[in-house]
Amino acid sequence: MILCCGEALVDMIPKAVASGEVGFVPHAGGAVFNTAIALGRLGARVGLLTGLSSDLFGRQLSESLAASHVDASRVILSDRPTTLAFVQLCGGQARYSFFDENSAGRMLTVDDMPDLSAEVSTLFFGGISLACEPGASAYAALLERESGRRVIMLDPNIRPDFIADADAYRARIVRLISLADIVKLSDEDLDWIVEAPNSLSEKARTLLDTGPALVIVTRGGAGATGVLRGGHEMHVPACETRVVDTVGAGDTFNAGVLAHLAECGCLSPDGIALLGPDEVERAMQFGARAAAVTVSRAGANPPWADEL
């Protein structure tokens, strides 16, 4: 099982109503939640570890998990509110305003992190759950505990508005990157984490030197570049599609990469150690194909396997 660890929230997506004004439609979302949903739809065995509310939005999230075959047995329920993210679309690019105080997802603690059975081979972390306390410290502690015992994939998905102390957060992310096996980040995230005026490849190799086996950098319409610890560098183009919005694109790409690596038996410590450029390239190609479907429709709506 791939266990996705982090936030589940509701994206409030703008939509014109009959009066001509703009309203907001609730869509199940959150970076880690989206990756779990996409993995379930792609046929991977997947679970979600998060905090969910018993409110109407929390029930919407629970129903979405069940509909996409995501194991919710590790979900932690409470009567705290669901995090809401109001989305503003600017030229198809998503900008967010979050309402997250005292939320069901944010208020998890280290004591809430469960012991994991042998069925969990891989842990995925990312999103705002790494930035907002106390949940951020809880997820960081789980990652640190399981590093070396299971495959770890990390997508920092930097949201500067959530970061009170940039230097401290940068140090935390670099430490977590050093404990991960696979790191995926956007070119914007990479520039934020590695501030030196180096090339994309040089910055990716800076992160590789801290410990990961593979760093993947996505560049929107310019495709994705993967760099392996052994020095191999792979590039795959983005798939041509009609872009409606980019909500969930990176999350779906993550799921495609993980689903492919799971299918080929690479998601184990030994498998990651032997990971080669051909398999990484195929995994990124599959991730790009899946992400192209997501950006072709509104909101985070990842494809099912038969759509690919």
Side-chain angles (χ1 to χ4, degrees), residues 226-237:
V227 186
L228 278 165
R229 187 185 295 154
H232 293 284
E233 185 170 317
M234 299 72 58
H235 175 75
V236 300

Side-chain angles (χ1 to χ4, degrees), residues 20-77:
E21 297 178 305
V22 175
F24 287 90
V25 179
H27 291 260
V32 176
F33 177 92
N34 292 339
T35 296
I37 291 291
L39 279 164
R41 293 184 180 186
L42 293 174
R45 189 176 178 209
V46 60
L48 181 66
L49 169 60
T50 193
L52 283 189
S53 175
S54 57
D55 66 15
L56 76 164
F57 295 123
R59 291 193 294 274
Q60 179 181 353
L61 290 164
S62 295
E63 290 166 2
S64 295
L65 292 174
S68 293
H69 313 302
V70 179
D71 185 313
S73 61
R74 294 171 182 83
V75 164
I76 300 158
L77 290 172

Side-chain angles (χ1 to χ4, degrees), residues 13-287:
I13 306 293
K15 184 176 182 179
V17 296
S19 66
E21 297 178 305
V22 175
F24 287 90
V25 179
H27 291 260
V32 176
F33 177 92
N34 292 339
T35 296
I37 291 291
L39 279 164
R41 293 184 180 186
L42 293 174
R45 189 176 178 209
V46 60
L48 181 66
L49 169 60
T50 193
L52 283 189
S53 175
S54 57
D55 66 15
L56 76 164
F57 295 123
R59 291 193 294 274
Q60 179 181 353
L61 290 164
S62 295
E63 290 166 2
S64 295
L65 292 174
S68 293
H69 313 302
V70 179
D71 185 313
S73 61
R74 294 171 182 83
V75 164
I76 300 158
L77 290 172
S78 75
D79 59 2
R80 294 188 175 98
T82 297
T83 299
L84 301 180
F86 284 80
V87 180
Q88 181 181 18
L89 299 175
C90 303
Q93 299 294 316
R95 298 290 182 267
Y96 299 86
S97 296
F98 290 91
F99 295 82
D100 189 46
E101 288 300 318
N102 198 40
S103 67
R106 180 175 182 170
M107 299 308 293
L108 298 183
T109 68
V110 173
D111 291 340
D112 291 315
M113 297 297 103
D115 293 328
L116 301 178
S117 61
E119 69 175 343
V120 178
S121 67
T122 304
L123 299 177
F124 172 80
F125 296 88
I128 64 170
S129 53
L130 298 177
C132 300
E133 298 293 354
S137 291
Y139 287 119
L142 178 63
L143 188 156
E144 291 167 353
R145 187 187 84 192
E146 298 298 330
S147 177
R149 302 170 60 186
R150 308 171 205 269
V151 174
I152 305 290
M153 181 171 177
L154 173 67
D155 177 0
N157 205 350
I158 304 296
R159 301 292 185 197
D161 290 347
F162 274 84
I163 301 169
D165 185 332
D167 290 338
Y169 187 68
R170 189 175 287 108
R172 163 182 271 181
I173 288 297
V174 170
R175 185 179 78 253
L176 296 180
I177 286 172
S178 74
L179 298 172
D181 300 289
I182 304 169
V183 177
K184 194 281 290 185
L185 65 176
S186 69
D187 51 354
E188 291 179 348
D189 291 344
L190 182 59
D191 287 340
W192 191 92
I193 294 168
V194 183
E195 296 181 284
N198 298 333
S199 69
L200 179 149
S201 294
E202 289 169 334
K203 291 184 178 185
R205 293 181 192 283
T206 296
L207 297 184
L208 272 177
D209 289 343
T210 69
L214 170 64
V215 171
I216 299 173
V217 183
T218 55
R219 295 183 292 147
T225 298
V227 186
L228 278 165
R229 187 185 295 154
H232 293 284
E233 185 170 317
M234 299 72 58
H235 175 75
V236 300
C239 297
E240 291 188 15
T241 189
R242 183 180 66 90
V243 176
V244 173
D245 67 51
T246 62
V247 179
D251 311 324
T252 304
F253 179 88
N254 292 335
V257 169
L258 283 171
H260 179 85
L261 294 178
E263 181 68 22
C264 68
C266 296
L267 290 185
S268 68
D270 289 341
I272 290 295
L274 297 173
L275 198 57
D278 291 343
E279 210 58 71
V280 171
E281 185 171 352
R282 285 190 286 268
M284 292 196 299
Q285 288 170 341
F286 188 67

